[in-house]
Amino acid sequence: MTNFLEQVFNGLVSGSFYALLALGLAVIFGILGVVNFAHGAFYMLGAFGSWLALDKAGIGFWPALLLVPLALGLFGALLERIAVSRLASLDPLYNFLLTFGVTLVLQDLVVRFYGVGSQPYSAPKELQGTISLGLFDYPKYQAFVLVAALVVCSAVWLAFTRTRVGMVVRAATERPDVARALGVDVRRWIAPVFGFGIWLAGLSGVLAAPMRSVNPLMGSDLVITVFAVVVIGGLGSVSGAVIAGFALGLIEALGELYAPFLAQVLVFVVMAAVLLWRPAGLFGRQEVRA
Amino acid sequence: MPRGAAGGGALRVENLVAGYGQGTVLHEVSLHVAPGEIVTLVGRNGAGKTTLLRCVMGLHKPSAGRVLWGGSDVTAVAAHRRAAAGFGWVQDDRGVFATLTVEENLLLPKVSGGGWPLERIYEYFPALKQRRRSMGTQLSGGEQQMLALARVLRTGARLLLCDEPSEGLSPLFVDKIGEVLTQIKKDGIGVLLIEQNIRFASRVADRHYPLVDGRLQEPIANGDLAERELELLDHLGL
């Protein structure tokens, strides 16, 4: 029983990363119609940025949690203005290739200067050790990640459903032409939303630094699973991305416990099953007629 | 750019040519709509009616020709700025946002001078008030059409581009749309209306432009419709 509960928590913690990353991908896909392949690279830069900040400037975890995602988010918005927006009127494949290229450049830059090895990064003192959850003790830092992810996802959901900005973004995501005809300058929102998606990727990276190995390829492994999460949740669906993220973390963790031979493929088995059942994903809307 | 109210609010389309890729859909189309005038575009499916409205709204780029609004050239002006200048669009599938509530659909548009306040909308469309917390697409087709019309009235548009508002609606809702259009006309708003339902068109409109294979024909005044109805039906392919 304790084993099971502990594995549930492990699943929710890895689900936290899936949820945060998938949420960022979903908002970007929603407003741009582009799958941001570079999402994993920005996650990696979030983790690497924290290590660099500590190693080169003595900036600790807490300030890094604030500064690194912010810097990456601004960089993302700039990237959208400079490059992504120029390809927006073409086939989405062009922007997919662009973000793929950005991924390679960012990864190889890090490899060029710091090599492929992992860098050490430890949790801040306050979050070291364990916390008692009744039946078992759990690492404090992992518990913190879960709480942080839940807070961020709820805040984004509230902003999305309760504020004017969220309403405009929802409208622009769903029917950009209709929103424009109602006087909403849709293009003005694209760079901020893109930057916000990258901010989420950077935040996930900073959160990952103390508990996962910080290396240039850490994002490329993860991003494939996160693509599957977004597809399962329904492309562009914000709540779908979050729910599917946590659910998949759970399924994977329990799979490890009960069906270890399936561990590597479970995510994709789930994706195939969901797509057969609901082609637009769990929370995706079926295409309306053109 | 002058808003319609100040600039006279006349729409003038001059020699508009538009298409998709290599195919030309509209050939040298010229028409005008005066303030308080309801003008219909009549033609079969694929004649280019929707493309023409999209060009006027700024959602499709014409390859030649001009769109003039109150005397100034708006051909190169972006859609959201045309909306601010007084253009309103009601598209054929109603364009109700599924992820927004009814009230959010009404709150989304940029409201400018002359836009209907929410209270007036709810007074005029009581069904929308009742269902203001529902998501947009939980409404019936008729209610969605009301919402699309109400939403564009919120913007204070001085020119309405309506793409088949009566399509697929029960007679009750068709009557309501007729009532709204008549009210709009009284307020001095011009309407360019795509309509296949000639009965309905003849009740509200001043002039009818047949559009045949992307070429606009001589307009038929509504008064002459009775004797020239066969001609119009012929253009419609009925």
Side-chain angles (χ1 to χ4, degrees):
Chain A
M1 186 61 193
T2 310
N3 226 348
F4 171 79
L5 275 180
E6 204 167 345
Q7 198 62 357
V8 165
F9 266 83
N10 289 340
L12 290 176
V13 170
S14 60
S16 299
F17 291 102
Y18 292 157
L20 288 172
L21 287 166
L23 181 59
L25 271 181
V27 293
I28 290 176
F29 181 84
I31 201 156
L32 264 180
V34 169
V35 176
N36 173 33
F37 200 93
H39 218 64
F42 283 105
Y43 163 80
M44 178 273 290
L45 284 182
F48 234 86
S50 318
W51 170 74
L52 272 180
L54 185 65
D55 199 55
K56 309 286 173 210
I59 295 172
F61 175 78
W62 296 110
L65 190 61
L66 201 71
L67 296 174
V68 172
L70 197 66
L72 288 173
L74 288 174
F75 177 63
L78 197 69
L79 179 72
E80 196 285 327
R81 284 288 78 189
I82 291 172
V84 176
S85 63
R86 289 180 204 278
L87 301 175
S89 59
L90 303 173
D91 191 301
L93 214 50
Y94 285 89
N95 256 323
F96 186 76
L97 281 176
L98 172 79
T99 56
F100 182 60
V102 168
T103 307
L104 295 181
V105 170
L106 293 176
Q107 271 178 10
D108 286 356
L109 273 176
V110 175
V111 172
R112 161 80 180 70
F113 288 106
Y114 305 104
V116 287
S118 293
Q119 309 297 341
Y121 195 87
S122 48
K125 275 204 179 58
E126 311 82 285
L127 295 176
Q128 285 172 2
T130 58
I131 180 172
S132 169
L133 293 177
L135 284 172
F136 57 91
D137 289 339
Y138 202 69
K140 255 190 206 163
Y141 186 78
Q142 264 83 337
F144 163 75
V145 166
L146 177 55
V147 172
L150 286 173
V151 168
V152 170
C153 290
S154 314
V156 172
W157 186 78
L158 278 178
F160 212 67
T161 52
R162 298 289 149 83
T163 68
R164 174 149 186 101
V165 175
M167 180 172 94
V168 166
V169 172
R170 267 179 291 149
T173 295
E174 192 186 331
R175 299 289 300 272
D177 53 347
V178 179
R180 286 164 64 207
L182 289 169
V184 177
D185 186 1
V186 171
R187 284 196 41 209
R188 201 168 61 118
W189 293 99
I190 295 180
V193 170
F194 194 88
F196 174 70
I198 302 297
W199 179 84
L200 281 169
L203 184 75
S204 317
V206 179
L207 286 174
M211 57 178 280
R212 296 203 169 154
S213 99
V214 179
N215 68 67
L217 297 178
M218 64 189 284
S220 60
D221 303 337
L222 189 61
V223 78
I224 304 296
T225 309
V226 175
F227 284 153
V229 170
V230 175
V231 171
I232 291 169
L235 279 174
S237 164
V238 164
S239 48
V242 172
I243 293 170
F246 282 109
L248 236 79
L250 259 183
I251 290 172
E252 256 188 345
L254 296 180
E256 260 168 51
L257 202 59
Y258 296 112
F261 57 98
L262 272 178
Q264 297 295 313
V265 293
L266 195 56
V267 174
F268 302 99
V269 173
V270 172
M271 179 172 83
V274 167
L275 289 184
L276 283 173
W277 171 46
R278 287 180 67 103
L282 290 178
F283 298 86
R285 284 173 307 107
Q286 307 293 329
E287 276 301 305
V288 278
R289 85 192 154 89
Chain B
M1 193 184 343
R3 279 189 49 81
L11 170 75
R12 187 167 285 280
V13 174
E14 289 178 352
N15 303 319
L16 201 78
V17 180
Y20 302 90
Q22 295 297 311
T24 304
V25 176
L26 296 172
H27 303 268
E28 305 259 322
V29 168
S30 299
L31 60 78
H32 63 94
V33 180
E37 193 182 28
I38 300 183
V39 174
T40 68
L41 282 173
V42 187
R44 32 180 117 179
N45 289 334
K49 299 170 304 219
T50 297
T51 305
L52 179 52
L53 285 204
R54 291 182 66 91
C55 285
V56 173
M57 190 67 228
L59 295 166
H60 187 82
K61 203 170 175 277
S63 45
R66 303 200 299 167
V67 177
L68 300 169
W69 177 234
S72 49
D73 189 341
V74 297
T75 318
V77 172
H80 69 274
R81 306 200 50 202
R82 285 191 212 196
F87 286 49
W89 182 47
V90 179
Q91 58 277 62
D92 54 350
D93 66 356
R94 286 139 202 165
V96 166
F97 293 106
T99 51
L100 270 62
T101 64
V102 168
E103 189 150 292
E104 283 178 327
N105 267 279
L106 291 168
L107 290 175
L108 180 73
K110 280 256 163 64
V111 178
S112 40
W116 290 26
L118 213 52
E119 303 80 62
R120 185 177 174 197
I121 296 277
Y122 283 150
E123 206 175 300
Y124 206 81
F125 303 99
L128 295 183
K129 184 175 189 177
Q130 265 174 30
R131 310 214 49 190
R132 65 185 187 279
R133 307 247 171 268
S134 308
M135 297 312 277
T137 43
Q138 287 168 347
L139 301 183
S140 73
E143 287 170 331
Q144 285 190 34
Q145 190 63 62
M146 293 303 121
L147 178 55
L149 274 171
R151 192 172 63 181
V152 82
L153 293 175
R154 289 268 301 148
T155 65
R158 302 303 299 167
L159 171 75
L160 285 197
L161 308 162
C162 291
D163 202 336
E164 288 210 61
S166 76
E167 189 196 11
L169 299 189
S170 69
L172 206 70
F173 277 114
V174 175
D175 283 349
K176 180 75 180 177
I177 289 169
E179 191 190 310
V180 174
L181 290 179
T182 314
Q183 173 67 45
I184 286 168
K185 186 178 162 68
K186 260 191 229 144
D187 293 345
I189 295 170
V191 180
L192 183 55
L193 175 72
I194 294 181
E195 194 47 76
Q196 308 255 30
N197 179 343
I198 306 240
R199 290 275 153 274
F200 175 68
S202 68
R203 252 168 44 207
V204 295
D206 299 293
R207 275 181 300 132
H208 309 276
Y209 281 104
L211 186 63
V212 181
D213 293 334
R215 292 186 169 79
L216 210 60
Q217 314 296 307
E218 277 301 300
I220 300 171
N222 199 46
D224 301 341
L225 194 63
E227 53 197 81
R228 295 177 67 181
E229 190 170 346
L230 280 178
E231 193 184 320
L232 200 61
L233 288 175
D234 187 44
H235 288 314
L236 265 170
L238 295 172

